[in-house]
Amino acid sequence: MKKTIQDDNLLSKKEIKYINDTIFAFHFPWYYNEQSVEGDNYWFYSHSVIQRTELGGGAMSNISDFCISLLDKFCKKHKIQYKKIFRCSINSNYSQENKSFLHTDHEFDYNHLLIYLTDNKGGETLLFNDDKKTIKKRIQSKQFRAVSFPKCWHIGVSPKEGKRMVLVYTFK
């Protein structure tokens, strides 16, 4: 996959209901992280769905099958074949002064799929050219928008208000 794909119509009403009833539920488990990238002090909450392969991999959540089905649906719709999921997590953060560092998720080639679970003022994802200075794409946060792109330097921007919640996959 060499291009960015944006899909604002991926999720069905049934899938949206599942997200609202499960992920947005009061009892859904979230875990505090002090930093997004080593040394950035950009705190956030996460829910690991599929553990990073470099940590052992494997399903970590009772929603793993649901999340894999969304990746399968996106890939089928956009004629993308994948062999492996390197990680899947739901990340949530709130407005804060600290900024996440520019980063890639892995040292090797991979693709991203982001599914925004909330609407936010701000909260976009910025994709950069290899020079790490020039923004090549600004992806606006829109509830239930799915966006896929190949490995590149990127940063998730803190929302101006409310919380930013994104389902994140890396795969190849």
Side-chain angles (χ1 to χ4, degrees):
M1 187 176 79
K2 299 281 186 197
K3 61 182 180 172
T4 300
I5 300 169
Q6 181 174 305
D7 186 338
D8 289 346
N9 298 299
L10 178 68
L11 302 182
S12 69
K13 288 180 182 178
K14 183 178 177 182
E15 291 160 338
I16 291 169
K17 180 175 180 359
Y18 180 88
I19 289 167
N20 288 330
D21 292 349
T22 305
I23 297 171
F24 291 148
F26 178 75
H27 64 276
F28 190 74
W30 291 99
Y31 302 92
Y32 177 76
N33 299 268
E34 291 182 349
Q35 54 192 3
S36 177
V37 177
E38 188 174 344
D40 68 3
N41 296 318
Y42 185 72
W43 60 269
F44 69 104
Y45 294 93
S46 68
H47 179 91
S48 184
V49 177
I50 297 172
Q51 186 179 48
R52 287 177 168 272
T53 53
E54 55 268 37
L55 298 175
M60 301 282 295
S61 173
N62 64 337
I63 65 165
S64 296
D65 289 342
F66 172 76
C67 292
I68 292 168
S69 75
L70 295 181
L71 176 63
D72 290 345
K73 181 179 181 180
F74 180 87
C75 289
K76 181 177 181 182
K77 182 176 181 181
H78 296 284
K79 298 175 176 50
I80 299 168
Q81 293 183 1
Y82 76 92
K83 294 180 182 172
K84 186 167 184 84
I85 300 172
F86 298 115
R87 81 177 187 100
C88 179
S89 178
I90 305 171
N91 296 336
S92 181
N93 65 322
Y94 296 82
S95 182
Q96 59 182 293
E97 290 181 22
N98 293 333
K99 305 283 187 238
S100 178
F101 292 162
L102 195 63
H103 67 281
T104 60
D105 287 28
H106 305 283
E107 296 294 319
F108 48 84
D109 284 340
Y110 65 93
N111 298 305
H112 273 99
L113 174 61
L114 307 179
I115 300 176
Y116 293 91
L117 301 180
T118 54
D119 261 329
N120 297 104
K121 191 174 195 177
E124 66 266 15
T125 302
L126 306 177
L127 309 182
F128 287 81
N129 288 328
D130 288 338
D131 66 9
K132 301 181 192 177
K133 295 177 184 174
T134 308
I135 297 173
K136 69 177 169 184
K137 183 140 185 89
R138 184 180 300 264
I139 302 166
Q140 297 299 322
S141 175
K142 179 181 177 189
Q143 191 170 32
F144 306 125
R145 170 174 285 162
V147 180
S148 187
F149 54 92
K151 177 184 178 180
C152 68
W153 292 97
H154 64 279
I155 189 169
V157 178
S158 180
K160 293 185 187 333
E161 55 191 44
K163 67 181 168 187
R164 175 185 191 260
M165 193 181 300
V166 182
L167 176 56
V168 179
Y169 304 79
T170 60
F171 64 98
K172 179 104 176 166

